[in-house]
Amino acid sequence: MGQTVLVTGGAGYIGSVTVEKLAEAGWKVVVVDDLSQGHRDAIVPGVPLEPGDVGDQAFLRGVLSKHRVGSVIHFAAKSVVPESQSRPGEYYRTNVVAGCALLDAMAETGVGEIVFSSSAGVYGEPESVPISESHGTRPLSVYGDTKLAFERILEWRSGAVGLKYVSLRYFNAAGASARFGEDHSPETHLIPNALRAAQGVLSEITVYGDDYETPDGTCIRDYVDVRDLADAHIAALDALSRGRSGVFNLGSGDGWSVLNVINEVTRITGRSVPCAVGPRRAGDPARLVASSSLAERELAWKPRHRELSDMIESAWAWARRFPHGYSA
């Protein structure tokens, strides 16, 4: 833990909880975030913020040198699937081209370790469930394709210049820590929107399609607690220090439908969740459930908050403190 960990996107949802866990574990951390999607109030007290663009190679080179960075955790990205379909160029510039600028800055300053925040979106429509890392990759969205493209760049650079990397393909992040939670603008994720509808902040939420080949017709997703995701990123840093590189799924191994989630939010909050059925969204597979057995073996990682109720309860506690997000 002698060297500093740079966390790009550390003012965002998963990034802030990961920085919190790193700081609690005694790691030295610096955050790079342009605050276009992150929040200044989501910066862990005492952790330095270097505001700037991950695509600015000269800026990154200065940050890496100034803070004597030894490893990078790379969260900074655009991540809204429907938006990616209509703005593909923007997503490739942010998620791939800017990522290459980060890798070049790392090479120029001798930083040879990176943990990449990837996505289950690289798989597309699964041929078998649960999904293992050996499953074929056929993204259904521009977002998923940008994640896969950067994974391939990491693999090629590993062979070319000896870069050590861990790519974490996680499924649907959920929940909150006591201090940090989910606040996107616009918010597209089911659980925070369902909680806001229960609070009356939203008039209703939209269920995107009820004609999938699932028991209740709505999409099924594997939710993984943000606190467990943060632990996985720290475990990945430990794996890199042992010379281990590779790709790992992170999930709970359980699948819940959209209606399952809405019903559970209703039960936990004691309030109704007004909803309406809309058309399917492009790029949404019917079912995504992870096999995380490789991460359990190789990273010694196992989710501790795997019950959906636990995730929703922590998110509900945060939503009651911040009904309008960090801007409240």
Side-chain angles (χ1 to χ4, degrees), residues 209-289:
D210 63 353
D211 57 350
Y212 287 93
E213 293 185 8
T214 60
D216 64 21
T218 65
C219 288
I220 290 175
R221 293 293 181 265
D222 184 333
Y223 290 87
V224 56
D225 194 282
V226 66
R227 294 163 291 182
D228 291 324
L229 288 177
D231 288 338
H233 286 80
I234 297 174
L237 288 176
D238 291 334
L240 287 173
S241 71
R242 302 192 305 270
R244 180 73 169 93
S245 288
V247 175
F248 301 92
N249 286 343
L250 300 178
S252 67
D254 296 315
W256 292 278
S257 74
V258 172
L259 293 183
N260 290 155
V261 172
I262 291 171
N263 291 337
E264 191 66 5
V265 167
T266 298
R267 185 188 70 80
I268 288 170
T269 64
R271 306 178 186 185
S272 63
V273 178
C275 58
V277 176
R280 295 186 184 191
R281 294 184 300 187
D284 270 349
R287 184 189 304 260
L288 287 175
V289 179

Side-chain angles (χ1 to χ4, degrees), residues 44-312:
V44 174
V47 171
L49 166 66
E50 294 281 0
D53 183 358
V54 172
D56 185 338
Q57 190 171 326
F59 160 71
L60 290 171
R61 189 166 57 241
V63 172
L64 292 165
S65 298
K66 172 184 174 183
H67 292 276
R68 298 182 180 181
V69 170
S71 304
V72 173
I73 300 179
H74 182 36
F75 289 106
K78 288 186 173 293
S79 59
V80 180
V81 169
E83 181 184 68
S84 78
Q85 304 299 86
S86 61
R87 300 181 183 176
E90 185 177 325
Y91 269 68
Y92 279 100
R93 281 190 296 272
T94 301
N95 294 2
V96 181
V97 177
C100 288
L102 170 63
L103 294 178
D104 288 341
M106 290 171 59
E108 290 166 354
T109 53
V111 180
E113 298 180 353
I114 185 169
V115 179
F116 174 50
S117 167
S118 190
S119 168
V122 303
Y123 292 115
E125 191 70 55
E127 295 178 354
S128 59
V129 175
I131 302 168
S132 71
E133 293 82 354
S134 62
H135 190 285
T137 50
R138 292 175 295 276
L140 295 178
S141 68
V142 171
Y143 165 69
D145 200 56
T146 62
K147 290 293 186 179
L148 182 59
F150 194 71
E151 282 193 4
R152 288 172 172 160
I153 290 167
L154 292 175
E155 184 178 4
W156 282 110
R157 288 187 76 119
S158 176
V161 299
L163 176 71
K164 292 192 290 184
Y165 74 94
V166 168
S167 180
L168 299 176
R169 294 174 176 171
Y170 37 88
F171 286 58
N172 287 43
S177 72
R179 183 183 295 174
F180 302 116
E182 191 166 8
D183 180 10
H184 301 110
S185 182
E187 184 58 75
T188 62
H189 294 157
L190 174 60
I191 290 175
N193 277 338
L195 291 172
R196 289 177 183 181
Q199 290 174 295
V201 176
L202 294 179
S203 59
E204 67 177 17
I205 63 171
T206 301
V207 176
Y208 293 103
D210 63 353
D211 57 350
Y212 287 93
E213 293 185 8
T214 60
D216 64 21
T218 65
C219 288
I220 290 175
R221 293 293 181 265
D222 184 333
Y223 290 87
V224 56
D225 194 282
V226 66
R227 294 163 291 182
D228 291 324
L229 288 177
D231 288 338
H233 286 80
I234 297 174
L237 288 176
D238 291 334
L240 287 173
S241 71
R242 302 192 305 270
R244 180 73 169 93
S245 288
V247 175
F248 301 92
N249 286 343
L250 300 178
S252 67
D254 296 315
W256 292 278
S257 74
V258 172
L259 293 183
N260 290 155
V261 172
I262 291 171
N263 291 337
E264 191 66 5
V265 167
T266 298
R267 185 188 70 80
I268 288 170
T269 64
R271 306 178 186 185
S272 63
V273 178
C275 58
V277 176
R280 295 186 184 191
R281 294 184 300 187
D284 270 349
R287 184 189 304 260
L288 287 175
V289 179
S291 168
S292 301
S293 57
L294 185 63
E296 292 180 15
R297 293 196 308 271
E298 300 292 336
L299 303 182
W301 174 84
K302 195 168 187 177
R304 294 183 297 160
H305 308 278
R306 64 179 300 164
E307 295 299 324
L308 180 64
S309 59
D310 191 358
M311 301 179 217
I312 293 176

